[in-house]
């Protein structure tokens, strides 16, 4: 089982959304995904409830409470025992012993950030924190910055400038753009299943294109993460 973790010091950086999307991308490959809920606000539990309600939850995926160390340990053991292909951990913002443990147990780390000076500052601080933590533990875990909520059109001068600051760090090959389809996942459920439902209903098909573009972005992220895991 490969553990992929989204972390950032900053709240609202897009961790949970990136994780939901990655879960959907892995599910389209027929993979099983354990979701470790290490945020006491339980956004993934709510996501699952909403998704079940909308008939857009893949039963090969499961949410495990993991918002303290004993729960995390139990979740890890159970998910390993049940031979999940992936575990995805959604952390709360900031640093904590729980987050440190998750980071050190991961196979891949994603640090999402929006392109504002404040967000990028926090992303750089998170990246540095991770590297120092890993060095202290003698660990090498591939880590990449995920540019999240990037405008679809042209970037402003400020966005271009902060984006260039990130170029010195390992980045995922493509950003996640600011898309309604991503924002709506928390209410609607897994994107690939939403797409399947909409595709089956001729009255709804008009909105399909945007969802497909969003899904392609998630699959690209999935391929990137898989490539890093294989290396
Ligand atoms: N690519 C995107 N396009 C549009 N909206 C997005 C995107 N990514 C995230 N959002 C929206 O931004 C808000 C914050 O995202 P999210 O909850 O994923 O951040 P977070 O880092 O998990 O926050 P927290 O620190 O509170 O856990 C949510 O309302 C989400 O729907
Ligand atoms: Mg979150």
């Amino acid at each position: 089982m490969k553990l992929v973790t989204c972390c950032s010091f900053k709240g609202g950086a897009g961790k949970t959304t990136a994780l939901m999307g990655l879960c959907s991308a892995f599910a389209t490959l027929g993979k099983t995904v354990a979701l470790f809920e290490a945020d006491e606000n339980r956004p993934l539990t709510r996501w699952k409830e909403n998704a079940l309600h909308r008939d857009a939850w893949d039963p090969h995926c499961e949410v495990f409470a993991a918002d303290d160390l004993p729960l995390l340990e139990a979740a890890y053991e159970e998910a390993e025992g049940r031979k999940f292909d992936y575990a995805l951990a959604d952390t709360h913002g900031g640093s904590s012993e729980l987050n440190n443990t998750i980071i050190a147990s991961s196979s891949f780390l994603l640090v999402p950030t929006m392109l504002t000076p404040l967000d990028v500052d926090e992303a750089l601080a998170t990246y540095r924190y991770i590297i120092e933590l890993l060095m202290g533990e003698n660990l090498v875990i591939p880590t990449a910055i995920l540019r999240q909520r990037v405008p679809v059109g042209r970037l402003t001068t400020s966005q271009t400038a902060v984006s260039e600051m990130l170029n010195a760090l390992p980045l995922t090959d493509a950003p996640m753009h600011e898309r309604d389809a991503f924002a709506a996942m928390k209410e609607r459920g897994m994107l690939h299943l939403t797409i399947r439902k909409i595709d089956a209903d001729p009255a709804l098909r008009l909105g399909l294109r945007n969802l497909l573009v969003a899904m392609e972005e998630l699959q690209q992220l999935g391929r990137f993460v898989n490539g890093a895991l294989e290396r």
Side-chain angles (χ1 to χ4, degrees), residues 8 10-18 39 41 43 90-93 148-150 176-180 182-184 186:
S8 71
K10 179 135 188 329
K15 297 179 285 296
T16 306
T17 306
D39 179 347
N41 295 316
D90 189 27
T91 60
H92 59 85
Q148 242 287 35
R149 299 192 71 166
V150 171
M176 270 175 79
H177 286 99
E178 169 89 34
R179 296 189 187 281
D180 292 344
F182 294 140
K186 55 184 181 287

Side-chain angles (χ1 to χ4, degrees), residues 32 59 62 64 77-85:
T32 54
E62 187 52 87
F64 294 85
E77 261 178 40
E78 190 180 340
E80 278 245 296
R82 286 168 58 184
K83 300 202 180 330
F84 278 90
D85 296 307

Side-chain angles (χ1 to χ4, degrees), residues 119-141:
D119 284 88
V120 167
D121 244 18
E122 296 268 9
L124 294 173
T126 305
Y127 185 79
R128 185 174 177 169
Y129 177 86
I130 289 171
I131 298 304
E132 282 174 0
L133 179 78
L134 297 181
M135 279 172 65
E137 306 263 345
N138 249 324
L139 291 168
V140 181
I141 300 172

Side-chain angles (χ1 to χ4, degrees), residues 9-59:
F9 283 161
K10 179 135 188 329
K15 297 179 285 296
T16 306
T17 306
L19 213 92
M20 290 170 180
L22 206 49
C23 176
S24 184
F26 289 152
T28 62
L29 300 173
K31 302 294 183 188
T32 54
V33 185
L35 295 157
F36 293 167
E37 178 105 284
D39 179 347
E40 60 283 357
N41 295 316
R42 302 268 161 102
L44 296 175
T45 302
R46 270 203 309 281
W47 182 45
K48 184 183 172 189
E49 285 164 5
N50 292 340
L52 286 172
H53 195 66
R54 302 274 197 131
D55 212 8
W57 182 261
D58 184 325

